[in-house]
Amino acid sequence: MWLPPRPPEWMDEGLCSQVDMDLWFPGDGQPSDLPKMICNGREGRPGCPVRAQCLEYALSHDERFGVWGGLSERERGRLMGRSYPKSKSEA
């Protein structure tokens, strides 16, 4: 019987596990500011304690959707050397 792989243990410690998962996967053209602020910290609040592990996981598994490690799909793609057309907010 096939079972899906178990997620890494650090995922249980992520701030993402405390809010609606849809927040981390904004649709095309939707802002990713709120999940990025939660992940990176704001207004004297600490960021996610597993941010570095999350980003490393996303980069090593070529996660192409959602906010991982405080970065959007495009931001991670640029780290990996991909190019994208400019979005409306970047134009």
Side-chain angles (χ1 to χ4, degrees):
M1 180 168 112
W2 181 86
L3 294 173
R6 178 159 164 48
E9 289 183 23
W10 58 260
M11 283 188 176
D12 292 337
E13 299 173 33
L15 294 179
C16 60
S17 67
Q18 299 174 20
V19 296
D20 184 357
M21 290 305 293
D22 289 341
L23 177 69
W24 303 97
F25 295 91
D28 275 349
Q30 298 297 313
S32 58
D33 297 345
L34 181 57
K36 289 164 62 173
M37 283 192 302
I38 292 170
C39 189
N40 294 316
R42 66 178 193 277
E43 298 173 7
R45 294 183 180 194
C48 183
V50 294
R51 180 181 174 275
Q53 294 98 314
C54 182
L55 181 57
E56 181 180 328
Y57 178 89
L59 294 174
S60 65
H61 288 82
D62 198 24
E63 287 289 348
R64 300 218 177 186
F65 301 98
V67 175
W68 290 78
L71 299 180
S72 68
E73 301 98 334
R74 285 178 178 258
E75 291 165 327
R76 289 192 312 277
R78 287 184 181 123
L79 279 179
M80 301 298 287
R82 293 187 201 110
S83 61
Y84 297 90
K86 288 189 176 187
S87 68
K88 290 178 185 177
S89 63
E90 296 172 321

